[in-house]
Amino acid sequence: MKKTICCIGSNGFIGRQIYSELKKINNYDIFRYSSRNNKFIDECELDKFDYLVFAAGIHNESENDEKNIFIEAKRILRNTKDLFLKSNSIIFISSFKTSFNINEKIIKSSNKYNYFKFDSYYGKSKIILEKIFIKFCKNFKKKFIIICPSHVIGPGDYNPSANGKFFKNILNKKLIFIPQCKISIVDVRNLSKKVVELIINDQFKNIKLIINDCSILIEEYIKMI
């Protein structure tokens, strides 16, 4: 009997590649779900899933509207709650910044060391969603893995500077001096293969994994993109 996978966020850069990789494996039926439209992309009448891959995130122009971030995050969770409950094991694609051990004031703008304050709209939504996701899994005793990829690159990444204003300024030649420091990067194809590996081996240990391929000088990264 084939095992079943529900994939949420398959229209995004990371989600598309994960879905493509999942389709390559045998004995699995994959069903895509749109958190934006609150419905399945593929025809599905299942009441239970063996695995759920959550790669959804928020994309919106209102980057400075923190209230709207919470509203959108709640909407996504409201639209996908039943799928979480129907799934035995869950993979949550998060953000590298959530891997840092930060206190509970992470979402207060008054916090001097606040990653939330300086992150992108997408990154902020991931921080919120992960915190709620962990509580959900503990409350309903779900097996899970949280994957925190570093700076994700790969085919189809038409705007490699989208993850930060810093890179936009470099590309626009607004910064004369480039610091001699490194940036961690991961190829989206390797990230996707890791998701498939975790599912095939059923490696759900309620932990967080940081996924990274290598670290290169920012100057080399700029030349590469």
Side-chain angles (χ1 to χ4, degrees):
M1 185 175 180
K2 287 188 176 182
K3 292 188 176 182
T4 56
I5 304 173
C6 179
C7 185
I8 304 175
S10 60
N11 288 326
F13 170 51
I14 296 176
R16 282 198 308 270
Q17 188 64 41
I18 291 176
Y19 174 70
S20 176
E21 201 67 36
L22 289 172
K23 291 289 288 183
K24 296 178 183 178
I25 58 178
N26 298 321
N27 300 321
Y28 290 85
D29 284 329
I30 300 96
F31 301 91
R32 294 169 295 170
Y33 185 86
S34 170
S35 61
R36 180 186 296 272
N37 298 321
N38 193 22
K39 65 179 183 180
F40 278 97
I41 299 173
D42 305 301
E43 185 176 346
C44 179
E45 297 179 357
L46 297 177
D47 293 326
K48 198 79 174 177
F49 296 96
D50 294 296
Y51 305 101
L52 184 147
V53 179
F54 186 92
I58 298 173
H59 294 277
N60 195 291
E61 296 299 326
S62 305
E63 292 193 1
N64 297 321
D65 189 354
E66 293 185 5
K67 181 180 179 181
N68 194 42
I69 298 174
F70 282 96
I71 294 174
E72 288 297 302
K74 287 181 179 179
R75 182 188 62 80
I76 289 177
L77 292 170
R78 182 175 64 249
N79 291 349
T80 57
K81 179 182 177 181
D82 288 343
L83 297 174
F84 278 90
L85 292 172
K86 292 178 180 179
S87 303
N88 294 329
S89 303
I90 306 169
I91 292 180
F92 182 89
I93 308 299
S94 189
S95 168
F96 180 68
K97 290 187 177 182
T98 64
S99 64
F100 294 95
N101 185 18
I102 304 175
N103 62 49
E104 295 180 357
K105 295 181 179 180
I106 187 171
I107 57 175
K108 288 188 176 293
S109 58
S110 59
N111 186 359
K112 183 178 179 180
Y113 304 101
N114 189 350
Y115 286 94
F116 182 86
K117 182 177 180 181
F118 301 104
D119 209 336
S120 65
Y121 194 91
Y122 173 83
K124 289 177 181 179
S125 70
K126 281 296 185 180
I127 291 172
I128 296 170
L129 289 169
E130 183 189 306
K131 290 172 74 68
I132 300 175
F133 169 77
I134 292 174
K135 290 182 180 180
F136 175 91
C137 289
K138 289 181 178 179
N139 288 339
F140 291 96
K141 295 180 172 56
K142 295 289 183 179
K143 294 188 297 181
F144 68 90
I145 287 287
I146 297 175
I147 294 182
C148 297
S150 58
H151 186 74
V152 185
I153 62 170
D157 191 2
Y158 61 91
N159 185 4
S161 66
N163 285 345
K165 293 180 180 178
F166 177 74
F167 296 110
K168 288 182 181 179
N169 288 334
I170 291 177
L171 292 176
N172 291 332
K173 298 180 180 180
K174 293 180 180 179
L175 294 179
I176 299 176
F177 172 73
I178 301 175
Q180 290 297 307
C181 57
K182 292 186 176 182
I183 179 174
S184 299
I185 59 174
V186 59
D187 191 306
V188 69
R189 291 164 291 190
N190 293 336
L191 168 61
S192 302
K193 290 176 182 177
K194 184 63 179 180
V195 171
V196 171
E197 176 189 323
L198 290 170
I199 290 177
I200 291 177
N201 297 321
D202 200 30
Q203 297 177 333
F204 291 81
K205 300 179 181 180
N206 298 4
I207 59 175
K208 182 182 294 189
L209 298 177
I210 299 175
I211 306 297
N212 185 53
D213 282 338
C214 65
S215 296
I216 63 173
L217 288 171
I218 291 181
E219 183 177 359
E220 295 301 316
Y221 174 78
I222 296 168
K223 291 177 182 179
M224 181 176 65
I225 63 175

